[in-house]
Amino acid sequence: MISENQVIVSEDLQIKNMEKNHQLAKAISDVSWYELTRQLGYKAEWNGRQYIKIDACYASSQICATCGYQNTDIKDLSVREWICPKCRAKHDRDINAAKNILAEGLRQIA
Ligand SMILES: [Zn+2]
């Protein structure tokens, strides 16, 4: 990831949720996420790349990456695909969120 990209953007780890949630499965996934972001951070620095973390409060899943409309119905995690009520773009939840996270990261360094 580092060698193929000049800029990498991800959401920041939600430390508060981690402290509140005592379920083992969630804790393991958060530790893995932490380790991934830690390695991205130091490898980016080592190789002269930029690694940007977006505030976890940013509504990356709810915003239509095509037109910017914020769809609060998408707060429900079971919604995996949706059609924007404003521009009719069809979204995969995770791909749409990834597009928004990248755009927000690039906006921050512009
Ligand atoms: Zn839209």
Side-chain angles (χ1 to χ4, degrees):
M1 284 170 77
I2 295 293
S3 61
E4 290 174 8
N5 297 280
Q6 194 62 45
V7 179
I8 293 171
V9 186
S10 79
E11 283 186 321
D12 205 352
L13 183 67
Q14 292 181 302
I15 300 286
K16 281 177 190 162
N17 287 355
M18 207 169 147
E19 288 167 351
K20 273 186 246 164
N21 193 319
H22 299 291
Q23 291 172 359
L24 186 60
K26 179 77 165 71
I28 289 169
S29 71
D30 280 340
V31 168
S32 302
W33 177 248
Y34 172 78
E35 179 59 13
L36 174 65
T37 59
R38 189 190 68 78
Q39 291 215 18
L40 281 172
Y42 92 78
K43 289 182 187 213
E45 191 168 344
W46 186 263
N47 291 280
R49 313 294 167 129
Q50 274 186 290
Y51 175 47
I52 300 152
K53 288 188 192 177
I54 300 299
D55 191 319
C57 296
Y58 175 65
S60 59
S61 299
Q62 296 173 34
I63 296 166
C64 170
T66 305
C67 76
Y69 176 80
Q70 186 165 353
N71 186 356
T72 51
D73 294 345
I74 312 305
K75 279 180 185 170
D76 182 346
L77 286 171
S78 68
V79 178
R80 304 310 306 171
E81 291 184 333
W82 55 285
I83 293 170
C84 175
K86 192 176 171 193
C87 75
R88 310 306 296 167
K90 191 180 178 198
H91 296 300
D92 172 279
R93 178 191 191 89
D94 296 332
I95 293 170
N96 179 66
K99 288 177 181 172
N100 286 326
I101 289 165
L102 176 61
E104 177 62 15
L106 294 176
R107 189 190 64 77
Q108 288 184 13
I109 59 171

